[in-house]
């Protein structure tokens, strides 16, 4: 097992990884920018190293600083969390070249899945169904017009290197394809330094259902069931559930069998998530994330497993030690992402938190790095807390969520807690009857 793990991240996810390390008896090293000197992940770590000024590219994205921090503290493994360098194959390679373990998949798999065009081709070759679309990148406008007409409008122009909902534009008809194609490329070039785009049929009422998979790289591949992440704004998830209110156990088993056999053939290792759109009883693959995800706690709650611990064990070369039939699903879990944003305008609201009272009680979990007196910096992602509830049924989970949201107090900055309170009261949400477009309309008051 590792002697010391450096956590190349901040906020709630750095704490989340620290907690798993502490339970495994492994000391941790926190890294932080100058803006985060007082952050909770620094206070709770065994050691900490300042890696640069506030802008992420000079600190949390600064591979050289992070590797130096690992070297001077004698860490033998790096956990990247999510975001920042977690899906950067070059970074994973550098970590390994320095003789350290990267707690994640192989650089080759990170690279393959980081290019969505390549990821779709790889999955198609392994028998996983795709959303209909262009066969590879679409590099000129004439081709975009021709392919869009063949797929049928509306179509979605997507960045091959896309993430976080950026570089994605809808064209409703032939008049809109030029604008969509150009803006998607411009946005992709600015955000990812890669303007390759492809086309997909824009589905009108899908659900986003993703499957958590785990492989030990020694032949054992299992899945921990699905998460329904259909409640999104601007293609970004806000509320996630495990399991999906739409899916039967038989459908889950069938999807799981197909996905695990594909990943076994690929020789995949560590955690991964296959994302699908689900419409009219059909699954269609859109992308794979080669890291831990923000919404992983809902899976942990229904499976009773610590996914970060499993990531660390596998990276240390241990076997999974159990098979699919040992994994049981119990009850229902829901997660709300609480962000430092105005709940109506979604403008970021950095600033000082003057009081913080997280909810508690049976089946309630709060993953957050907030504390009273903490100043939420303006430089980073606005996620400040994840509220996760778990109960025997979805109906009970909703009652628990309503109760927990009512207890949750954050004073000093505006958060999206009031929005979550409105969602939980909505009859459509309570019925579980929603698609990826539901929340956008709900927020717009339609
Ligand atoms: P990113 O990597 O930027 O998150 P994804 O490919 O995962 O991009 O897509 C994000 C979200 O955008 C999906 O969860 C879904 O809501 C929406 N989306 C993506 N592809 C399609 C599509 N073909 N039709 C309709 N919605 C889509």
């Amino acid at each position: 097992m590792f002697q010391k793990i450096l956590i190349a991240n901040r906020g709630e996810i750095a704490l989340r990884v620290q907690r798993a390390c502490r339970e495994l008896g492994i000391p941790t090293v926190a890294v932080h920018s100058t803006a985060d000197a007082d952050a909770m992940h620094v206070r709770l770590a065994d050691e900490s190293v300042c890696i640069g000024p506030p802008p992420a590219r000079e600190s949390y994205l600064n591979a050289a600083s992070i590797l130096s921090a690992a070297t001077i503290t004698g860490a033998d493994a790096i956990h990247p969390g999510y975001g920042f360098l977690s899906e950067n194959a070059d970074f994973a390679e550098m970590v390994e070249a320095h003789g350290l373990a990267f707690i994640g998949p192989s650089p080759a798999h990170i690279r393959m899945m980081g290019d969505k065009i390549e990821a779709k081709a790889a999955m198609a070759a392994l028998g996983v169904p795709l959303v209909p679309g262009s066969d590879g990148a679409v590099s000129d406008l004439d081709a975009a017009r021709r392919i869009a007409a063949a797929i049928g409008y509306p179509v979605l122009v997507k960045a091959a290197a896309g993430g976080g909902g950026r570089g994605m534009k809808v064209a409703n008809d032939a008049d809109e394809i030029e604008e969509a194609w150009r803006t998607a490329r411009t946005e992709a070039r600015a955000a990812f330094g890669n303007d390759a785009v492809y086309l997909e049929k824009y589905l009108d009422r899908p659900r986003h259902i993703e499957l958590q998979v785990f492989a030990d790289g020694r032949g054992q591949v299992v899945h921990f069931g699905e998460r329904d992440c259909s409640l999104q704004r601007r293609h970004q998830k806000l509320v996630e559930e495990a399991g999906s209110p739409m899916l039967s156990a038989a459908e889950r088993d069938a999807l799981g069998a197909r996905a695990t056999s594909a990943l076994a053939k690929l020789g995949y290792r560590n955690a991964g998530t296959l994302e699908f759109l689900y419409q009219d009883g059909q699954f269609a693959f859109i992308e794979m994330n080669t890291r831990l995800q923000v919404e992983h706690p809902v899976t942990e709650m229904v499976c009773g497993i610590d996914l970060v611990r499993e990531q660390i064990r596998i990276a240390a070369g241990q076997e999974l030690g159990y098979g699919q039939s040992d994994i049981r699903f119990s009850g229902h879990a829901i997660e709300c992402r609480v962000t430092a944003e105005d709940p109506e305008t979604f403008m970021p609201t950095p600033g000082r938190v003057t009081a913080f009272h997280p909810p508690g009680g049976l089946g309630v979990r709060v993953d957050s790095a907030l504390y009273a007196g903490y100043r939420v910096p303006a430089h980073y992602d606005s996620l400040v807390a994840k509220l996760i509830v778990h109960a025997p049924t979805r109906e009970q989970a909703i009652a628990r969520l309503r109760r927990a949201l009512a207890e949750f107090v954050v004073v000093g900055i505006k958060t999206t807690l009031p929005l979550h309170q409105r969602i939980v009261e909505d009859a459509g949400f309570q019925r579980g009857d929603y698609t990826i477009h539901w929340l956008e309309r709900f927020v717009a008051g339609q």
Side-chain angles (χ1 to χ4, degrees), residues 115-128 130 135-136 285:
D115 181 330
K116 292 185 183 185
I117 294 173
E118 210 183 311
K120 284 183 79 170
M123 285 298 160
L126 293 165
V128 177
L130 308 181
D135 191 14
F285 173 82

Side-chain angles (χ1 to χ4, degrees), residues 88 113 134 155 175 177 194 278 345 402:
N88 185 319
M113 298 306 170
S134 60
V155 298
D175 290 341
I177 187 72
N194 172 357
Y278 176 79
T345 63
R402 179 187 291 118

Side-chain angles (χ1 to χ4, degrees), residues 7-8 21 44 85 99 112 123 150-151 166 203 230 250 277 284 311 376 378 382 389 412 433 441:
I7 302 164
C21 292
L44 289 186
L85 294 166
M112 170 189 278
M123 285 298 160
I151 299 170
R166 283 173 303 171
L203 301 182
S230 303
L277 295 181
Q311 283 194 296
V376 176
S382 59
V389 296
D433 172 20
R441 290 181 198 131

Side-chain angles (χ1 to χ4, degrees), residues 132-134 142-155 199-201:
S134 60
D142 284 340
R145 285 189 203 286
R146 208 172 46 245
I147 295 164
I151 299 170
Y153 287 96
V155 298
L199 299 189
E200 249 175 27
K201 176 91 189 155

Side-chain angles (χ1 to χ4, degrees), residues 211 223 225-226 243-257 278 283 324 329:
L211 194 76
H223 71 86
E226 82 285 5
S244 169
M246 282 303 289
L247 215 61
S248 67
E251 283 177 302
R252 173 197 290 153
D253 290 348
L255 182 69
Y278 176 79
F283 282 100
Q324 192 62 50
F329 302 99

